[in-house]
């Protein structure tokens, strides 16, 4: 459910009377990712997307980046013990229904996150395997990619690689067409996640921006219009967070992916309504409007 400024969620577990205030059991989503000081991607984008789609966001920060719309100038990895203590803090207090995992800087952090997922066993786990920069450079060493594939991805309900990330995960060439995306299906299934959403946004010559949802026995092309804008910073973070949010609200995996795709498409469509920075600006997470409190 995508909230507009005049919308209200009234789930089945809502209780209210004339003498009592409205009580809502809030779906809680945890994002585990890096911080983007520019506010367009990472933890900041995740929190915006989770909030805009009707859930409550909590966070565990794995790295601090010095970043803006023009690029990343520095990365500081959070010490392992503090990553673990953040995870313990939120899981021992909050009823976390879904977890989204984004940037994990190295094999050690991946291992810590995998161990904590096994310990706390959240109902839903969405992994956005952030490993390839826009330039095409690998952000993770090969040893870290192997740890991601062996320890964390098999725990996931769904992973959401783009085409360069799909190539890095499978060892195959980056697809240059939707037909070539199909050739990755079995290799992506073999990674062990329950589902894979292979994102086709990098096929920039195509009229549509279509994604391939790969389930254990079937695959489905999810179609969406392509919107041409330079302001696409944080699209992968935003989509994976929206999927986690919709899963936390009780949607099936297919429903959550469809709703997440609708949300990111509109966030991109409205991106040029914002004027943020001098480079590649963010998508418009709150395209549905803002509440007037005057």
């Amino acid at each position: 459910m995508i909230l507009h400024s005049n919308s209200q969620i009234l789930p089945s577990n809502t209780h209210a009377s004339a003498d009592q205030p409205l009580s809502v059991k809030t779906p809680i989503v945890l994002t585990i990712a890096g911080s983007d000081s520019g506010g367009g991607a990472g933890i900041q984008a995740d929190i915006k997307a989770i909030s805009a789609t009707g859930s409550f966001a909590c966070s565990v920060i794995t790295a601090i980046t010095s970043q803006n719309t023009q690029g990343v100038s520095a990365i500081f990895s959070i010490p392992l013990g503090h990553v673990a203590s953040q995870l313990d803090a939120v899981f021992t207090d909050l009823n976390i229904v879904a977890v989204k995992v984004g940037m994990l800087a190295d094999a050690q952090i991946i291992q810590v996150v995998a161990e904590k997922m096994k310990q706390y066993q959240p109902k839903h786990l969405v992994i956005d395997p952030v490993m390839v920069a826009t330039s095409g450079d690998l952000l993770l060493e090969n040893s870290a990619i192997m740890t991601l594939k062996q320890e964390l991805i098999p725990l996931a309900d769904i992973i959401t690689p783009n085409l360069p990330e799909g190539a890095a995960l499978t060892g195959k060439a980056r697809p240059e067409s939707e037909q070539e995306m199909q050739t990755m299906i079995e290799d992506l299934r073999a990674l062990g996640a329950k589902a894979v959403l292979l994102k086709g946004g990098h096929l920039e010559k195509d009229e549509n921006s279509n994604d391939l949802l790969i389930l254990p026995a079937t695959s489905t092309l999810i179609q969406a219009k392509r919107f041409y804008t330079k302001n696409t910073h944080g699209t992968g973070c935003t989509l994976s967070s929206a999927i986690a949010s919709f899963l936390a609200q009780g949607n099936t995996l297919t429903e959550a992916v469809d709703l997440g795709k609708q949300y990111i498409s509109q966030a991109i469509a409205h991106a040029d309504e914002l004027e943020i920075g001098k480079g590649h600006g963010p998508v418009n997470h709150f395209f549905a409007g803002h509440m007037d409190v005057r």
Side-chain angles (χ1 to χ4, degrees):
M1 182 183 299
I2 298 176
L3 289 184
H4 297 263
S5 57
N6 59 350
S7 299
Q8 185 179 33
I9 290 182
L10 293 175
S12 58
N13 54 2
T14 298
H15 304 283
S17 70
D19 301 319
Q20 294 179 324
L22 190 67
S23 174
V24 179
K25 186 175 181 181
T26 307
I28 299 176
V29 180
L30 168 64
T31 165
I32 306 171
S35 169
D36 172 6
S37 54
I43 285 282
Q44 288 81 353
D46 296 346
I47 291 173
K48 291 170 188 175
I50 292 164
S51 301
T53 53
S55 299
F56 179 84
C58 57
S59 63
V60 167
I61 297 177
T62 60
I64 299 171
T65 69
S66 300
Q67 184 174 177
N68 56 30
T69 63
Q70 300 180 82
V72 179
S73 57
I75 299 175
F76 172 76
S77 294
I78 301 298
L80 295 178
H82 194 60
V83 173
S85 68
Q86 290 179 82
L87 287 162
D88 290 334
V90 292
F91 272 109
T92 55
D93 181 43
L94 308 181
N95 181 26
I96 296 166
V97 182
V99 174
K100 173 264 169 86
V101 175
M103 177 185 178
L104 302 176
D106 55 44
Q108 291 178 305
I109 290 180
I110 294 169
Q111 188 69 50
V112 167
V113 171
E115 290 172 357
K116 291 299 182 183
M117 292 305 100
K118 293 173 185 176
Q119 178 181 349
Y120 292 111
Q121 299 186 11
K123 185 175 181 180
H124 302 291
L125 178 59
V126 178
I127 297 176
D128 181 21
V130 180
M131 61 177 66
V132 183
T134 303
S135 63
D137 296 329
L138 280 176
L139 298 175
L140 287 180
E141 296 180 356
N142 287 330
S143 61
I145 294 175
M146 187 60 63
T147 303
L148 182 70
K149 291 168 63 173
Q150 292 178 345
E151 300 296 333
L152 195 56
I153 285 177
L155 306 177
D157 290 272
I158 185 168
I159 62 173
T160 60
N162 59 29
L163 298 185
E165 289 159 351
L169 286 169
T170 61
K172 298 177 74 73
R174 170 180 154 174
E176 299 295 336
S177 67
E178 288 183 3
Q179 290 73 23
E180 290 183 11
M181 287 171 66
Q182 299 279 341
T183 68
M184 275 191 170
I185 289 176
E186 291 307 320
D187 293 275
L188 289 168
R189 279 188 180 133
L191 295 172
K194 294 176 184 175
V196 179
L197 184 66
L198 182 61
K199 300 176 295 188
H202 281 75
L203 301 179
E204 296 178 356
K205 295 180 181 179
D206 288 6
E207 180 179 353
N208 288 341
S209 180
N210 299 335
D211 300 338
L212 187 63
L213 178 59
I214 303 167
L215 299 173
T218 61
S219 61
T220 305
L221 196 66
I222 300 177
Q223 297 182 313
K225 179 182 177 181
R226 182 180 296 276
F227 297 97
Y228 291 94
T229 172
K230 72 171 185 175
N231 298 321
T232 55
H233 186 48
T235 51
C237 308
T238 298
L239 174 58
S240 54
S241 295
I243 292 171
S245 179
F246 289 123
L247 284 171
Q249 293 168 28
N251 293 284
T252 67
L253 182 63
T254 301
E255 291 168 345
V257 169
D258 185 58
L259 288 167
K261 182 68 171 176
Q262 292 179 47
Y263 172 72
I264 188 58
S265 293
Q266 288 303 306
I268 294 171
H270 291 271
D272 289 350
E273 295 171 6
L274 303 177
E275 294 183 18
I276 310 295
K278 301 173 184 177
H280 294 280
V283 301
N284 190 345
H285 294 92
F286 299 105
F287 61 83
H290 301 275
M291 185 176 293
D292 187 352
V293 296
R294 291 175 296 174

